mmCIF file of all heavy atoms in Angstrom:
data_model
loop_
_atom_site.group_PDB
_atom_site.id
_atom_site.type_symbol
_atom_site.label_atom_id
_atom_site.label_comp_id
_atom_site.label_asym_id
_atom_site.label_seq_id
_atom_site.Cartn_x
_atom_site.Cartn_y
_atom_site.Cartn_z
ATOM 1 N N LEU A 58 -49.358 51.748 -92.083
ATOM 2 C CA LEU A 58 -48.162 51.799 -92.821
ATOM 3 C C LEU A 58 -47.486 50.433 -92.814
ATOM 4 O O LEU A 58 -47.418 49.862 -91.775
ATOM 5 C CB LEU A 58 -47.215 52.842 -92.275
ATOM 6 C CG LEU A 58 -47.616 54.305 -92.486
ATOM 7 C CD1 LEU A 58 -46.697 55.239 -91.669
ATOM 8 C CD2 LEU A 58 -47.540 54.673 -93.934
ATOM 9 N N ARG A 60 -44.561 49.135 -92.891
ATOM 10 C CA ARG A 60 -43.413 48.673 -92.160
ATOM 11 C C ARG A 60 -43.754 48.187 -90.759
ATOM 12 O O ARG A 60 -43.185 47.272 -90.270
ATOM 13 C CB ARG A 60 -42.401 49.741 -92.093
ATOM 14 C CG ARG A 60 -42.690 50.911 -91.253
ATOM 15 C CD ARG A 60 -41.484 51.569 -90.747
ATOM 16 N NE ARG A 60 -40.721 50.785 -89.794
ATOM 17 C CZ ARG A 60 -39.573 51.157 -89.140
ATOM 18 N NH1 ARG A 60 -39.160 52.327 -89.326
ATOM 19 N NH2 ARG A 60 -39.009 50.358 -88.274
ATOM 20 N N TRP A 61 -44.742 48.899 -90.145
ATOM 21 C CA TRP A 61 -45.056 48.449 -88.736
ATOM 22 C C TRP A 61 -45.630 47.123 -88.631
ATOM 23 O O TRP A 61 -45.505 46.413 -87.624
ATOM 24 C CB TRP A 61 -45.943 49.538 -88.024
ATOM 25 C CG TRP A 61 -45.319 50.847 -88.074
ATOM 26 C CD1 TRP A 61 -45.674 52.019 -88.791
ATOM 27 C CD2 TRP A 61 -44.060 51.286 -87.433
ATOM 28 N NE1 TRP A 61 -44.803 53.053 -88.613
ATOM 29 C CE2 TRP A 61 -43.831 52.612 -87.804
ATOM 30 C CE3 TRP A 61 -43.158 50.609 -86.580
ATOM 31 C CZ2 TRP A 61 -42.680 53.283 -87.305
ATOM 32 C CZ3 TRP A 61 -42.074 51.328 -86.145
ATOM 33 C CH2 TRP A 61 -41.834 52.655 -86.519
ATOM 34 N N ASP A 134 -37.478 52.038 -82.458
ATOM 35 C CA ASP A 134 -37.283 52.894 -83.670
ATOM 36 C C ASP A 134 -37.590 54.431 -83.479
ATOM 37 O O ASP A 134 -36.998 55.282 -84.013
ATOM 38 C CB ASP A 134 -38.171 52.380 -84.835
ATOM 39 C CG ASP A 134 -37.573 52.957 -86.160
ATOM 40 O OD1 ASP A 134 -36.409 52.709 -86.396
ATOM 41 O OD2 ASP A 134 -38.342 53.570 -86.894
ATOM 42 N N ARG A 135 -38.573 54.747 -82.654
ATOM 43 C CA ARG A 135 -38.886 56.173 -82.378
ATOM 44 C C ARG A 135 -38.540 56.449 -80.902
ATOM 45 O O ARG A 135 -38.958 55.759 -80.012
ATOM 46 C CB ARG A 135 -40.342 56.478 -82.657
ATOM 47 C CG ARG A 135 -40.718 56.277 -84.061
ATOM 48 C CD ARG A 135 -42.191 56.505 -84.280
ATOM 49 N NE ARG A 135 -42.590 56.493 -85.689
ATOM 50 C CZ ARG A 135 -43.832 56.548 -86.102
ATOM 51 N NH1 ARG A 135 -44.854 56.571 -85.215
ATOM 52 N NH2 ARG A 135 -44.089 56.604 -87.378
ATOM 53 N N ASN A 151 -30.874 57.534 -87.620
ATOM 54 C CA ASN A 151 -31.840 58.349 -88.305
ATOM 55 C C ASN A 151 -31.166 59.542 -89.062
ATOM 56 O O ASN A 151 -31.618 59.891 -90.132
ATOM 57 C CB ASN A 151 -32.846 58.871 -87.331
ATOM 58 C CG ASN A 151 -33.654 57.716 -86.770
ATOM 59 O OD1 ASN A 151 -34.274 56.993 -87.526
ATOM 60 N ND2 ASN A 151 -33.684 57.626 -85.458
ATOM 61 N N ASP A 186 -43.020 62.845 -84.388
ATOM 62 C CA ASP A 186 -42.098 61.740 -84.386
ATOM 63 C C ASP A 186 -40.685 62.265 -84.416
ATOM 64 O O ASP A 186 -40.280 62.958 -85.403
ATOM 65 C CB ASP A 186 -42.351 60.892 -85.710
ATOM 66 C CG ASP A 186 -41.348 59.743 -85.872
ATOM 67 O OD1 ASP A 186 -40.335 59.626 -85.147
ATOM 68 O OD2 ASP A 186 -41.593 58.942 -86.793
ATOM 69 N N ASN A 188 -37.894 61.166 -85.018
ATOM 70 C CA ASN A 188 -37.113 60.782 -86.136
ATOM 71 C C ASN A 188 -37.147 61.840 -87.281
ATOM 72 O O ASN A 188 -36.208 62.084 -87.981
ATOM 73 C CB ASN A 188 -37.533 59.440 -86.754
ATOM 74 C CG ASN A 188 -37.215 58.251 -85.815
ATOM 75 O OD1 ASN A 188 -36.567 58.457 -84.794
ATOM 76 N ND2 ASN A 188 -37.618 57.111 -86.200
ATOM 77 N N PHE A 192 -34.098 63.034 -89.734
ATOM 78 C CA PHE A 192 -34.061 62.784 -91.114
ATOM 79 C C PHE A 192 -33.818 64.067 -91.870
ATOM 80 O O PHE A 192 -32.988 64.185 -92.784
ATOM 81 C CB PHE A 192 -35.377 62.152 -91.622
ATOM 82 C CG PHE A 192 -35.751 60.844 -91.071
ATOM 83 C CD1 PHE A 192 -37.100 60.491 -90.875
ATOM 84 C CD2 PHE A 192 -34.778 59.917 -90.682
ATOM 85 C CE1 PHE A 192 -37.480 59.321 -90.349
ATOM 86 C CE2 PHE A 192 -35.142 58.670 -90.143
ATOM 87 C CZ PHE A 192 -36.481 58.362 -89.957
ATOM 88 N N TRP A 226 -47.331 60.893 -91.134
ATOM 89 C CA TRP A 226 -46.682 60.438 -92.387
ATOM 90 C C TRP A 226 -47.705 60.025 -93.436
ATOM 91 O O TRP A 226 -47.472 59.122 -94.200
ATOM 92 C CB TRP A 226 -45.879 59.194 -92.053
ATOM 93 C CG TRP A 226 -44.717 59.494 -91.073
ATOM 94 C CD1 TRP A 226 -44.780 59.301 -89.691
ATOM 95 C CD2 TRP A 226 -43.345 59.771 -91.300
ATOM 96 N NE1 TRP A 226 -43.598 59.612 -89.107
ATOM 97 C CE2 TRP A 226 -42.726 59.858 -90.103
ATOM 98 C CE3 TRP A 226 -42.642 60.003 -92.509
ATOM 99 C CZ2 TRP A 226 -41.324 60.179 -90.019
ATOM 100 C CZ3 TRP A 226 -41.356 60.285 -92.426
ATOM 101 C CH2 TRP A 226 -40.694 60.356 -91.204
ATOM 102 N N ASN A 256 -39.883 59.779 -96.488
ATOM 103 C CA ASN A 256 -40.140 58.372 -96.519
ATOM 104 C C ASN A 256 -41.030 57.988 -97.707
ATOM 105 O O ASN A 256 -41.385 58.818 -98.505
ATOM 106 C CB ASN A 256 -40.679 57.813 -95.150
ATOM 107 C CG ASN A 256 -42.186 57.964 -95.094
ATOM 108 O OD1 ASN A 256 -42.766 58.837 -95.755
ATOM 109 N ND2 ASN A 256 -42.804 57.164 -94.317
ATOM 110 N N SER A 258 -44.106 56.758 -97.845
ATOM 111 C CA SER A 258 -45.586 57.055 -97.818
ATOM 112 C C SER A 258 -45.812 58.524 -98.234
ATOM 113 O O SER A 258 -46.714 58.873 -98.950
ATOM 114 C CB SER A 258 -46.208 56.776 -96.451
ATOM 115 O OG SER A 258 -45.620 57.501 -95.467
ATOM 116 N N GLN A 281 -37.838 56.346 -98.217
ATOM 117 C CA GLN A 281 -37.285 55.565 -97.098
ATOM 118 C C GLN A 281 -38.248 54.428 -96.764
ATOM 119 O O GLN A 281 -39.483 54.707 -96.807
ATOM 120 C CB GLN A 281 -37.090 56.491 -95.892
ATOM 121 C CG GLN A 281 -36.795 55.695 -94.580
ATOM 122 C CD GLN A 281 -36.646 56.567 -93.399
ATOM 123 O OE1 GLN A 281 -36.112 56.148 -92.463
ATOM 124 N NE2 GLN A 281 -37.255 57.810 -93.412
ATOM 125 N N ASP A 282 -37.762 53.255 -96.467
ATOM 126 C CA ASP A 282 -38.517 52.076 -95.956
ATOM 127 C C ASP A 282 -38.656 50.972 -97.035
ATOM 128 O O ASP A 282 -38.991 49.844 -96.676
ATOM 129 C CB ASP A 282 -39.879 52.395 -95.465
ATOM 130 C CG ASP A 282 -39.906 53.089 -94.165
ATOM 131 O OD1 ASP A 282 -38.862 52.941 -93.439
ATOM 132 O OD2 ASP A 282 -40.872 53.749 -93.781
ATOM 133 N N LYS A 302 -34.362 49.793 -94.426
ATOM 134 C CA LYS A 302 -34.168 49.593 -92.996
ATOM 135 C C LYS A 302 -34.629 48.157 -92.775
ATOM 136 O O LYS A 302 -35.862 47.958 -92.717
ATOM 137 C CB LYS A 302 -34.881 50.626 -92.206
ATOM 138 C CG LYS A 302 -34.542 52.081 -92.639
ATOM 139 C CD LYS A 302 -34.718 53.090 -91.584
ATOM 140 C CE LYS A 302 -36.100 53.281 -91.077
ATOM 141 N NZ LYS A 302 -36.212 54.561 -90.358
HETATM 142 C C1 LIG B 14 -40.562 56.723 -88.722
HETATM 143 C C2 LIG B 14 -39.645 55.613 -89.228
HETATM 144 C C3 LIG B 14 -39.629 55.598 -90.694
HETATM 145 C C4 LIG B 14 -40.997 55.598 -91.300
HETATM 146 C C5 LIG B 14 -41.963 56.531 -90.575
HETATM 147 C C6 LIG B 14 -43.398 56.240 -90.961
HETATM 148 O O1 LIG B 14 -40.482 56.831 -87.379
HETATM 149 O O2 LIG B 14 -38.329 55.786 -88.727
HETATM 150 O O3 LIG B 14 -38.920 54.465 -91.068
HETATM 151 O O4 LIG B 14 -41.517 54.351 -91.387
HETATM 152 O O5 LIG B 14 -41.793 56.474 -89.189
HETATM 153 O O6 LIG B 14 -43.986 55.273 -90.211
#
Side-chain angles (χ1 to χ4, degrees):
L58 288 170
R60 70 155 293 185
W61 302 114
D134 202 56
R135 295 176 173 173
N151 295 306
D186 175 351
N188 289 355
F192 298 148
W226 300 88
N256 84 334
S258 60
Q281 167 184 200
D282 287 337
K302 308 206 296 194

